[in-house]
Amino acid sequence: MKQCYRFLIRFVRGNVLNQIKLRENLDSFLKDIDNHALSIQLVYEIFKDNKKFLNLNASKILRSIVNASEKIEMNDNKKGSMFRLLTVFCRYKDKLVRANQQDIVVFLSNKGAQSNILYLFTTEGFKDINKYLQQQKQVVFPKEADLLGVDGDKPQRGLFSSINKQKEDPSKYNPTIFVTNQTINLMALVDLLSLCCEGKSDVAE
Amino acid sequence: MTEEQEEFVMFMNFTVTENKENQRLLRNFDMDEFAVYFINYRTEESDAAVTEHI
């Protein structure tokens, strides 16, 4: 099944005629999201930069995607993938699709108190955001023995020495951080909302 | 790279271009329909397995 999806993703990527051909099976792919996360990527590629699809009956599809994303738990990174999927409706090449931006904001905010992610941005939800951030493992910097000061004198600690050395060899000196699914989902939501607010939009504001 | 990592990387918004001619050939041979058939078949099979009818 994964191979089927991987093939279809590459089949449809950047090809309008192939996007049109696969659009007829959209319902099947949306239904299969629970079983295969790659179906989200496929739907993304079907709509990407397709002018007709982004404007025609997009509202109904957006509503069903938002509703489906609400049912996914915060600890499942499929939730963040659904938010990334929604971003494809906001842009046609370098232009914004205002109607879709507004629809997404309206559908997301309609859920209000029932939303299992929007409440995190309220006073009551703040302690949960804090909990998710605390669950991240600490940033791991490269070993101190590998780091030298910029002028070759005694080793500098932490972030700044890491940044200096990164310029020389990014693969060796990048600090490592482990990001939990909850944080990935939050970042994806913030990305989506910021894209929806781009351009002049009274509804988004 | 694990499958999960591969899927995550696939979803990143970087520029990837596919071979248009190959895409056209595969479309003309309806190769996508095989893939869609398998997906639909497995979706229906898993739907049928979920029912609790006696």
Side-chain angles (χ1 to χ4, degrees):
Chain A
M1 289 294 285
K2 284 193 177 180
Q3 297 299 351
C4 286
Y5 275 114
R6 287 189 186 119
F7 160 68
L8 288 174
I9 286 165
R10 299 193 64 178
F11 173 78
V12 90
R13 184 176 279 146
N15 189 308
V16 173
L17 292 175
N18 291 1
Q19 286 174 329
I20 292 170
K21 197 153 191 275
L22 278 195
R23 172 71 172 82
E24 307 163 357
N25 303 106
L26 182 67
D27 287 339
S28 305
F29 304 138
L30 286 173
K31 232 166 91 172
D32 209 26
I33 281 172
D34 283 339
N35 300 322
H36 295 100
L38 282 173
S39 64
I40 303 174
Q41 172 77 22
L42 177 57
V43 175
Y44 179 97
E45 295 293 349
I46 289 172
F47 281 91
K48 188 163 167 42
D49 291 334
N50 187 306
K51 193 173 186 181
K52 184 176 168 190
F53 291 168
L54 290 176
N55 289 307
L56 191 67
N57 291 330
S59 192
K60 191 175 156 197
I61 294 163
L62 290 174
R63 190 191 293 272
S64 67
I65 294 173
V66 169
N67 288 344
S69 75
E70 274 302 314
K71 291 177 188 156
I72 301 172
E73 295 296 326
M74 269 302 280
N75 59 0
D76 187 344
N77 65 4
K78 269 208 274 291
K79 196 174 186 73
S81 298
M82 296 292 265
F83 294 145
R84 285 194 211 104
L85 169 59
L86 288 168
T87 62
V88 86
F89 291 91
C90 297
R91 208 185 278 281
Y92 167 68
K93 296 197 177 157
D94 58 344
K95 296 184 175 44
L96 297 165
V97 184
R98 183 164 303 156
N100 293 349
Q101 286 175 298
Q102 294 180 348
D103 275 347
I104 289 169
V105 167
V106 166
F107 295 149
L108 275 175
S109 54
N110 264 353
K111 293 294 174 183
Q114 294 91 25
S115 165
N116 67 3
I117 191 164
L118 282 183
Y119 90 97
L120 291 170
F121 297 93
T122 61
T123 317
E124 295 80 21
F126 177 72
K127 64 178 187 318
D128 284 332
I129 281 195
N130 204 26
K131 184 179 77 181
Y132 293 145
L133 293 175
Q134 295 303 326
Q135 280 168 355
Q136 309 269 108
K137 288 191 185 174
Q138 287 185 343
V139 178
V140 175
F141 290 106
K143 287 183 198 162
E144 197 168 306
D146 293 335
L147 299 171
L148 290 173
V150 174
D151 298 323
D153 52 6
K154 63 181 179 183
Q156 295 174 338
R157 293 176 192 274
L159 181 63
F160 295 106
S161 53
S162 177
I163 289 171
N164 285 333
K165 292 300 271 185
Q166 267 175 52
K167 292 172 195 164
E168 294 172 30
D169 188 350
S171 61
K172 191 173 172 191
Y173 294 109
N174 273 345
T176 317
I177 185 166
F178 298 95
V179 185
T180 58
N181 283 345
Q182 289 89 343
T183 309
I184 287 175
N185 293 340
L186 275 169
M187 292 194 299
L189 175 65
V190 170
D191 273 344
L192 169 64
L193 290 175
S194 72
L195 180 56
C196 290
C197 294
E198 260 184 55
K200 181 94 179 118
S201 170
D202 296 334
V203 171
E205 283 170 22
Chain B
M1 197 185 277
T2 64
E3 281 185 0
E4 272 182 358
Q5 285 169 329
E6 187 183 339
E7 285 161 16
F8 183 75
V9 168
M10 279 179 87
F11 219 155
M12 284 168 66
N13 202 10
F14 53 88
T15 310
V16 176
T17 49
E18 305 292 350
N19 187 311
K20 294 268 189 231
E21 182 57 19
N22 288 346
Q23 286 177 321
R24 184 189 71 80
L25 284 169
L26 290 166
R27 181 177 70 244
N28 289 346
F29 283 110
D30 289 331
M31 294 307 293
D32 53 299
E33 300 201 2
F34 284 112
V36 170
Y37 171 79
F38 281 122
I39 290 169
N40 285 337
Y41 176 79
R42 290 298 294 267
T43 309
E44 282 162 16
E45 202 181 55
S46 59
D47 277 350
V50 162
T51 56
E52 294 172 353
H53 298 300
I54 297 171

